[in-house]
Amino acid sequence: MDTEASSFETSEMLATFLASTPLLSESWRLCSAANQKPYHGYVIEQIGSTVCVAFSGVQEVLGSPDDDRNWVQLNEEGEKLFPPLTCRSDHGEAEPVLVHGGLLHIFLAMYNNPDFRNQMLLKLQTSKSIAVTGHSVGGTTASLCALWLLSCLQSTSSCASVFCITFGAPLLGNEGLSRAILRERWSGNFCHVLSRYDLMPRLLLIPVAPIIPQLHSVVAMWQLSMGRMEALQLHDQSKDEIFSHVLRELLAHSVEGAMTGSYRPFGNYFFCSEEGAICLDNATSVIKLMHLLFMMGSPSRCIEDHLKYGAYVGKISSQFLESRGFTEEEQPESSYEAGVALALQSSGINFQESVAISARDCLKMARRMGRTPNLNCSNLSIKLSKITPYRAEIEWYKTLCDLSDNQMGYYDSFKLRGASRRDSKINMNRHKLARFWDNVINMIENNELPYDFGRRRKWVFASQFYKLLVEPLDIGEYYRTGMHRIKGHYIKHGRERRYQIFDKWWKGRATIEDNYKRSKFASLTQDTLFWAKVEEAREWLDNVRGQNDPTALAFLLQKIDDFDRYASSLVERKEVSKDVVAKNSSYCLWVKDYKELKSQLGQCHLNSPVY
C-alpha cells in the first residue's frame, strides 16, 4: 500500500487519546506538589486501583550537562536494577547502554532509601497500575523508576501495568538505551511532554560550554529545577545571548536536518503548544522536530516555557474538541496530507512559516520509518515460506540416513558423503538456508526490522529449528574439509555468527519451565554443538595414547571423562536424535574406543552405556 494513500496515524491518535483523559492534568498536579519537596522528594497518591508517583524536579545534578565524563555504563551501576537493559543486544552487538551519571545518581539515592524501595515494591504487588511522573530533572528520575519497575515485573508474579509521563525532562541516555527499550517493547510505556520552546529537553543535544557568562544560569537550570520562578530571573540581554548560543549550536550540530550527538530520545514525545499537541515515537523525527520548533522560538520563551506545562495541559482537552478546517488555498490533496496538515497545526506551525516544509517532511519521515520495519518483517515471512521446501528436503534426507543399513546416522552420512546427486542437493539447500538467515541478521543490524524481532515467537522458533537441523551439517562439512587442522576446532574457530545470535534469541524467549521426561529420542539433537564436542573428544582420545607427561595425561583424561558424563546424561534424558546412538555413529565408535582405553589403563568401571 502506498504510504501517501494511507491514513496519518503518527500524531493525532495518541495525542487525542491522552487529551481525552485526566491523566496529563493529574500528573502535572502531582508534579507541582512534588516540586515543593526538597532534594530526593516525591509524592505518592492512591486513586482507586492506580498509584501515582511524582518526583521532585528540585535536584542537584552532579557535573555539567555536556561533560562526557558523566557517561555511566548502566551495567556498572544498575545491573541488579535493570537486568533486561544491561544484557548484550539480541543480535550480537556489544553496544553499551549509557546514561548520564548525575541523573542516575539521583535515582540511586532514592532507591537506596529502604522506605521508598519497599513502598514501591509493595505498590507493585497490590496495585493494578502505577503512573510515574516528574517535571524537569524529576522526569528523568521518573523514567529510571519506571524502567526499574518494568524490570521487576519480569521476575515477579505481579500483573500491574506501569506508565511514565514526564514534563520538560532532559534526555537520559544514548542510542544503546533507546535500542534496549525498543527491544523490550517498553517504548509505549513512556510519554514525554515538552513544549515548543523549552530549553531543558534540548540541553543535552548541544555542548553548553560557558563561553557566555549568562550560560552559567543555564547550568543552574540543570542543577536546580525550574520549580522555583526566582531561579529564572534573567535580563532580556542575557536571554537573547542564551537563545542565540543554543540556536547556533543546534544548527552547527545538525547534518542534513538530523541532529547529531550522543543522547537519544526513547518512547513517545508529546509536543504541546497553544494550538494543540502532536505525538511522535520515532527518535530521529523527535530530534528533528525539537530542532525545528526551537528555531521558531524567542529568547524569553526558550526558558520560561519550562514552567508553562500547567497552562498547556489545561488547554489541550478543549483544543481537541474544536473543529478544524482548511481554506480553499490550503485544501489538502488527500486524507494523508490532511492528517499531516492537522498535525502541523497542532504543533503550532502555520503553512506560511518557513519551517513548514521541513516539519512536513519530518512528519512524513516518521510515518515512513515507522512502517518500513514492519513491512520488511512481513516480506520476510513470505520469503520464509518459500525456503520451507529446502528445509523439508533436508528433513527427508535425515530420515533416509537414520533408516540406512550402514547405521551411520545423519551427521556421519553427510560428513562422509560421496558425489551423489542427492548429497549435492542437500549441500546446496544448506547454503540457500544460510543465505536467507544471514540476510535476516544483516537487516537487523541495518535497523531494517523491528527492534524486538529477536523476541517474536515465530522467528525465535523458526531460527531454533533451523539451527537444530542444519548446524550438524555445517559441523560435518567443517571436519570433512579439514578446516579444524587449519583454523582450529569448530566451537571456537568455525562457528558461524548467526548461530551465536540464535542462541541468544532462544535463551531470551519467554517460557515456562517444565520437568517432563522424554519417552523417546528427540527428533533433533538439542545441543547443536554435540558433534563438534565429539570431534574434540576424539582428538583428546588420540592424544592420550601418545602422551608421556603425567600432568598432561591427567588433564586429558579429566576432559574426556567430563565429556563422557555429559554425553551420557544427554542420551539418558533422550535429548539426542537416534542417529547419535546408531551403531556406527562417531559417538558410539568413540564410546567403544574410550571403553578400550579405560580397560588398558586398568579402569574397569564404565560410566557410559554401550550400544
Side-chain angles (χ1 to χ4, degrees):
M1 179 174 58
D2 185 11
T3 301
E4 298 300 317
S6 61
S7 61
F8 189 84
E9 301 172 356
T10 310
S11 62
E12 293 280 310
M13 292 184 65
L14 182 55
T16 303
F17 170 75
L18 288 174
S20 65
T21 70
L23 191 57
L24 289 176
S25 57
E26 287 298 305
S27 295
W28 177 253
R29 179 181 64 81
L30 290 175
C31 286
S32 300
N35 280 342
Q36 305 303 316
K37 300 285 184 179
Y39 290 166
H40 305 154
Y42 61 94
V43 172
I44 297 183
E45 186 173 305
Q46 182 88 31
I47 304 176
S49 60
T50 300
V51 173
C52 298
V53 185
F55 293 92
S56 172
V58 183
Q59 305 287 353
E60 182 179 3
V61 183
L62 301 179
S64 174
D66 66 317
D67 191 347
D68 290 338
R69 293 173 297 178
N70 285 325
W71 280 116
V72 172
Q73 192 164 334
L74 200 58
N75 62 1
E76 295 176 357
E77 296 287 343
E79 185 171 2
K80 296 180 180 179
L81 303 183
F82 316 103
L85 301 180
T86 55
C87 64
R88 294 178 63 179
S89 70
D90 290 335
H91 48 83
E93 293 182 357
E95 183 180 20
V97 175
L98 302 177
V99 297
H100 189 281
L103 298 175
L104 179 62
H105 175 78
I106 294 173
F107 171 71
L108 291 178
M110 302 191 70
Y111 174 82
N112 291 329
N113 180 347
D115 292 337
F116 168 78
R117 185 172 64 251
N118 295 334
Q119 192 173 10
M120 293 304 299
L121 291 175
L122 178 62
K123 297 296 184 183
L124 195 65
Q125 294 294 333
T126 59
S127 304
K128 289 185 177 180
S129 59
I130 299 179
V132 191
T133 187
H135 174 228
S136 192
V137 175
T140 56
T141 307
S143 295
L144 287 167
C145 181
L147 291 173
W148 167 55
L149 293 175
L150 289 168
S151 299
C152 290
L153 287 175
Q154 293 195 354
S155 58
T156 65
S157 58
S158 173
C159 296
S161 61
V162 177
F163 192 70
C164 177
I165 297 178
T166 71
F167 297 90
L171 299 178
L172 176 61
N174 68 338
E175 187 174 0
L177 177 65
S178 179
R179 284 175 175 268
I181 291 172
L182 284 168
R183 189 177 67 242
E184 295 299 321
R185 306 182 187 182
W186 291 348
S187 290
N189 298 77
F190 294 88
C191 178
H192 305 285
V193 182
L194 67 156
S195 59
R196 293 170 61 181
Y197 314 124
D198 186 359
L199 176 61
M200 181 64 80
R202 299 164 170 89
L203 196 58
L204 288 177
L205 291 176
I206 63 171
V208 191
I211 57 175
I212 301 176
Q214 286 75 15
L215 278 178
H216 287 294
S217 298
V218 178
V219 177
M221 286 176 61
W222 175 257
Q223 294 178 335
L224 186 65
S225 167
M226 297 304 94
R228 297 176 180 176
M229 179 66 76
E230 58 267 20
L232 295 176
Q233 300 304 315
L234 300 174
H235 296 295
D236 290 341
Q237 182 179 357
S238 300
K239 293 179 182 179
D240 287 339
E241 291 177 342
I242 292 173
F243 177 78
S244 299
H245 172 76
V246 173
L247 182 59
R248 183 169 59 251
E249 291 295 336
L250 284 172
L251 293 172
H253 289 79
S254 64
V255 178
E256 297 181 354
M259 291 301 301
T260 60
S262 299
Y263 287 89
R264 286 291 182 271
F266 62 86
N268 299 281
Y269 271 74
F270 194 87
F271 293 86
C272 57
S273 69
E274 293 87 349
E275 288 77 19
I278 177 175
C279 194
L280 297 176
D281 60 2
N282 176 267
T284 303
S285 299
V286 167
I287 296 178
K288 170 78 171 178
L289 197 59
M290 289 173 70
H291 175 205
L292 292 173
L293 292 177
F294 193 81
M295 291 175 59
M296 301 166 54
S298 63
S300 60
R301 297 290 298 275
C302 75
I303 295 179
E304 294 171 0
D305 240 27
H306 191 63
L307 297 173
K308 294 187 62 176
Y309 287 99
Y312 287 132
V313 168
K315 294 179 181 179
I316 287 176
S317 297
S318 60
Q319 288 165 341
F320 272 90
L321 295 176
E322 297 176 359
S323 60
R324 299 182 182 184
F326 304 98
T327 64
E328 186 174 348
E329 295 78 11
E330 297 173 343
Q331 192 66 34
E333 298 179 357
S334 65
S335 60
Y336 177 80
E337 290 290 344
V340 174
L342 288 173
L344 290 176
Q345 290 184 23
S346 297
S347 63
I349 300 177
N350 296 322
F351 288 97
Q352 293 77 17
E353 292 175 321
S354 59
V355 299
I357 296 177
S358 297
R360 184 181 293 108
D361 292 340
C362 173
L363 297 179
K364 290 181 178 180
M365 178 183 66
R367 169 67 175 168
R368 183 174 62 254
M369 293 182 68
R371 295 179 70 244
T372 299
N374 287 323
L375 288 176
N376 290 339
C377 188
S378 298
N379 291 333
L380 269 184
S381 296
I382 298 173
K383 293 179 180 178
L384 179 64
S385 66
K386 291 181 178 180
I387 65 169
T388 298
Y390 304 143
R391 192 183 66 188
E393 288 179 358
I394 295 179
E395 292 181 76
W396 166 77
Y397 174 80
K398 181 182 184 303
T399 301
L400 291 181
C401 292
D402 291 343
L403 297 175
S404 175
D405 293 338
N406 61 25
Q407 299 186 51
M408 293 172 58
Y410 177 51
Y411 170 76
D412 289 285
S413 295
F414 184 78
K415 176 186 174 184
L416 302 175
R417 70 186 185 277
S420 70
R421 184 175 180 179
R422 182 189 69 178
D423 293 331
S424 298
K425 177 71 171 177
I426 297 305
N427 193 42
M428 185 180 300
N429 289 353
R430 180 176 68 90
H431 287 294
K432 289 178 179 179
L433 292 174
R435 283 197 296 270
F436 171 81
W437 286 107
D438 283 342
N439 179 58
V440 170
I441 300 302
N442 289 334
M443 292 181 70
I444 293 175
E445 293 177 345
N446 291 328
N447 299 325
E448 297 173 6
L449 292 173
Y451 286 95
D452 64 345
F453 183 87
R455 298 293 178 91
R456 298 189 176 186
R457 184 181 179 86
K458 172 180 179 177
W459 293 100
V460 170
F461 279 85
S463 62
Q464 176 69 3
F465 185 80
Y466 160 74
K467 184 177 60 138
L468 293 175
L469 180 67
V470 177
E471 188 165 19
L473 301 184
D474 286 0
I475 296 171
E477 183 68 9
Y478 189 81
Y479 285 94
R480 169 188 169 87
T481 56
M483 292 303 296
H484 61 294
R485 291 189 288 269
I486 300 172
K487 298 172 60 176
H489 280 292
Y490 176 87
I491 297 177
K492 289 186 178 180
H493 305 286
R495 197 180 193 210
E496 294 291 344
R497 183 164 167 266
R498 60 178 172 273
Y499 294 128
Q500 300 173 26
I501 294 172
F502 297 158
D503 282 345
K504 293 175 182 175
W505 290 6
W506 186 249
K507 292 177 181 177
R509 75 192 189 283
T511 185
I512 300 176
E513 295 293 333
D514 52 49
N515 298 315
Y516 77 93
K517 294 184 179 180
R518 294 180 182 270
S519 59
K520 60 181 181 179
F521 287 113
S523 59
L524 295 166
T525 301
Q526 299 302 291
D527 181 1
T528 59
L529 294 174
F530 178 81
W531 291 110
K533 295 173 182 176
V534 170
E535 295 288 354
E536 289 189 21
R538 289 179 60 184
E539 182 177 282
W540 297 337
L541 209 59
D542 292 339
N543 291 340
V544 164
R545 294 187 174 92
Q547 185 58 250
N548 296 321
D549 184 351
T551 303
L553 179 61
F555 178 70
L556 284 172
L557 289 173
Q558 182 61 51
K559 291 202 296 183
I560 292 172
D561 190 57
D562 290 343
F563 170 74
D564 183 50
R565 287 198 301 270
Y566 167 73
S568 297
S569 66
L570 284 183
V571 173
E572 182 180 354
R573 296 194 305 269
K574 292 183 168 56
E575 293 183 4
V576 297
S577 173
K578 61 182 180 181
D579 68 310
V580 170
V581 296
K583 181 179 179 181
N584 295 318
S585 71
S586 294
Y587 172 67
C588 284
L589 294 178
W590 179 88
V591 171
K592 182 179 178 181
D593 290 343
Y594 185 40
K595 176 183 176 182
E596 293 177 356
L597 176 66
K598 294 175 74 174
S599 178
Q600 294 172 6
L601 295 175
Q603 298 180 2
C604 299
H605 179 66
L606 297 179
N607 293 323
S608 59
V610 178
Y611 306 100

